[in-house]
């Protein structure tokens, strides 16, 4: 896991970008797997990979 931390403003921006990128509801992974998708902001420089783990 990365030790980088987001500021409050960055976290809020990421949440808003995630909301815009979700066309359908998220299908959560089964136990022992993960799901990954990209979130793209208003500009090409704002691209984040979102990973959901289910241990």
């Amino acid at each position: 896991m990365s030790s980088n931390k987001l500021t409050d403003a960055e976290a809020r921006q990421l949440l808003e970008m995630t909301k815009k990128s979700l066309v359908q509801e998220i299908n959560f992974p089964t136990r022992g797997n993960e799901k990954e998708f990209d979130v793209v902001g208003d500009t090409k420089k704002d691209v984040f990979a979102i990973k959901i783990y289910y241990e």
Side-chain angles (χ1 to χ4, degrees), residues 29-46:
T30 57
R31 185 175 294 275
N33 292 301
E34 64 185 51
K35 189 69 94 171
E36 181 176 354
F37 58 93
D38 291 332
V39 174
V40 180
D42 295 333
T43 67
K44 294 286 184 191
K45 75 173 199 164
D46 294 324

Side-chain angles (χ1 to χ4, degrees), residues 5-35:
K5 296 191 180 209
L6 297 175
T7 65
D8 188 57
E10 290 169 331
R12 289 178 189 278
Q13 181 183 17
L14 179 56
L15 287 172
E16 287 304 312
M17 290 166 43
T18 302
K19 288 178 191 176
K20 288 180 183 178
S21 72
L22 296 176
V23 177
Q24 301 174 1
E25 71 181 67
I26 298 172
N27 293 316
F28 284 87
T30 57
R31 185 175 294 275
N33 292 301
E34 64 185 51
K35 189 69 94 171

